[in-house]
Amino acid sequence: MKFHIETSPGYGTKQGIMPRFYLQMENICKFLNGEPFLDKIPSTFLSKIIPELTNFYDVRNKLQTTIQEFIQRVQDGTLYRVDTDGSTTFLRKKEFEISNLTKDFFIRGKVLLVLFFKSDILIDGNFKIEDFYFCDDKKFERKCSEYKSGQYAKYLPLLNVLKKARHDFLNEFSRTRGDIEHEDFALERFKLIQEATNATLQEPNFQGNKLSERINFYYEQILDLIEKLTVYFAAINCEAKNNFYQLYVATVTVCRNLAQAFMGNVRNYHYDVQKASCHKRDSRYSKGNRSGLKWRTES
């Protein structure tokens, strides 16, 4: 008897993408049954967003691993050596791979962002989050002013988060992606520091930080933005539908046992919807001060 087996990478466990961007969304959206434009959020993430999230993770992980391998192989003498006559040899082949992977990182990140903002995840009638992504800062401010009153004013917390993201990293990330495509983009070279019979490498500076640090910053910020916008969108509608429930923000990483579903693996939630008056509310979540919740006052 012959069998055919197909497997997929375990991103839902070790990397945490599946728990964070599918199971968490499913958990929050279960409070919104009957709202078609919200019920589809988990399935849309599963079919469209998570595959691109895994691609983004892969190229980031490969880039960071290659940087560390380059540094280590110079230190252990694999890529740098001193001959008996004092001549030195330094093989920079990893440097070209790092440059290409850096470009790939920004390309994959941009693809992910465009796919997310153009998807039908954050759409409610005439409110479409993509209108606030595909615009310059001046147009962004003008469009935000149009939503300060009326039925869609409830989405101002989302726009506050997006405004902060544009200022903190999103605009710079997009400019860098544009430079890769339209300009002569190049990284600084790794600096070789020679010491007697051995040497060390110094990472290039990139936008004010070490290259690896800046890459991690962008990666974490982009994933946080996608998660936060989606959770806030669902929570706003959850509270509007039933004010007995509120969104809570985790004060620590919250793990829930999924032994039955994932053979002992855990899911990490950053957010949860709980009853507002529940005396047994999980202490690992913070309600914040109510003008509204912590997430409502974030900017």
Side-chain angles (χ1 to χ4, degrees):
M1 181 180 293
K2 295 182 179 180
F3 295 93
H4 173 69
I5 300 174
E6 295 185 8
T7 63
S8 298
Y11 294 106
T13 55
K14 185 177 180 181
Q15 285 74 37
I17 290 176
M18 185 70 79
R20 184 177 179 184
F21 293 98
Y22 175 69
L23 297 176
Q24 178 175 227
M25 303 309 175
E26 186 179 52
N27 178 65
I28 290 174
C29 290
K30 72 183 180 183
F31 294 93
L32 296 151
N33 291 333
E35 299 287 352
F37 73 105
L38 293 163
D39 289 343
K40 62 181 171 50
I41 287 178
S43 61
T44 302
F45 261 94
L46 187 62
S47 62
K48 296 183 179 180
I49 308 303
I50 287 178
E52 204 54 55
L53 279 166
T54 59
N55 289 335
F56 192 41
Y57 169 86
D58 283 343
V59 70
R60 173 258 194 172
N61 193 50
K62 177 64 174 176
L63 172 55
Q64 298 291 43
T65 300
T66 305
I67 290 172
Q68 295 308 311
E69 285 180 353
F70 190 26
I71 293 172
Q72 180 60 41
R73 290 181 182 180
V74 167
Q75 290 177 334
D76 66 20
T78 305
L79 297 178
Y80 174 85
R81 73 171 186 269
V82 180
D83 296 332
T84 54
D85 63 357
S87 300
T88 59
T89 301
F90 176 31
L91 303 178
R92 285 186 175 268
K93 58 182 180 180
K94 285 284 184 183
E95 199 165 32
F96 299 104
E97 183 180 355
I98 289 167
S99 177
N100 288 333
L101 285 169
T102 300
K103 294 176 183 178
D104 290 345
F105 173 82
F106 283 94
I107 292 169
R108 296 261 43 119
K110 186 67 174 181
V111 169
L112 170 62
L113 287 166
V114 169
L115 184 65
F116 172 71
F117 281 102
K118 286 182 72 69
S119 72
D120 56 359
I121 292 175
L122 305 187
I123 294 178
D124 177 9
N126 291 327
F127 177 82
K128 298 180 180 181
I129 196 67
E130 69 173 289
D131 294 339
F132 298 88
Y133 176 72
F134 297 102
C135 63
D136 58 26
D137 288 341
K138 186 176 181 180
K139 186 176 180 181
F140 178 87
E141 293 294 345
R142 185 173 70 251
K143 292 186 69 65
C144 284
S145 66
E146 298 172 1
Y147 284 83
K148 289 184 177 180
S149 61
Q151 70 179 109
Y152 299 119
K154 62 183 179 179
Y155 292 124
L156 283 175
L158 269 73
L159 302 183
N160 288 337
V161 169
L162 184 54
K163 179 180 179 179
K164 186 175 188 299
R166 290 171 66 98
H167 175 270
D168 290 351
F169 73 93
L170 209 50
N171 288 350
E172 185 67 32
F173 184 90
S174 295
R175 279 193 293 269
T176 305
R177 170 63 183 89
D179 289 345
I180 290 172
E181 184 173 359
H182 303 292
E183 304 291 338
D184 187 18
F185 175 86
L187 294 173
E188 293 180 6
R189 306 202 77 177
F190 281 73
K191 183 178 180 181
L192 181 69
I193 303 173
Q194 297 169 291
E195 299 174 354
T197 59
N198 54 32
T200 58
L201 272 187
Q202 182 176 301
E203 278 189 55
N205 178 71
F206 185 64
Q207 298 177 353
N209 300 97
K210 291 196 299 184
L211 174 61
S212 60
E213 293 175 353
R214 193 63 178 171
I215 292 299
N216 272 342
F217 169 77
Y218 279 131
Y219 176 81
E220 292 165 2
Q221 292 297 315
I222 288 172
L223 265 62
D224 283 348
L225 177 64
I226 291 173
E227 176 186 32
K228 191 174 292 185
L229 287 176
T230 307
V231 169
Y232 285 13
F233 181 78
I236 286 169
N237 287 283
C238 180
E239 292 191 8
K241 182 178 180 181
N242 188 339
N243 60 14
F244 288 105
Y245 292 99
Q246 294 177 349
L247 177 71
Y248 289 82
V249 182
T251 54
V252 297
T253 300
V254 179
C255 300
R256 299 184 176 184
N257 191 3
L258 279 182
Q260 293 181 343
F262 283 100
M263 300 171 58
N265 294 312
V266 297
R267 54 177 147 175
N268 301 327
Y269 287 170
H270 299 149
Y271 304 92
D272 196 16
V273 172
Q274 302 174 16
K275 288 185 178 180
S277 59
C278 181
H279 296 296
K280 295 182 179 180
R281 178 175 58 82
D282 193 327
S283 62
R284 293 172 294 183
Y285 292 92
S286 170
K287 187 173 85 169
N289 46 344
R290 184 81 182 175
S291 58
L293 304 174
K294 175 182 177 182
W295 61 273
R296 280 199 180 279
T297 57
E298 183 172 3
S299 61

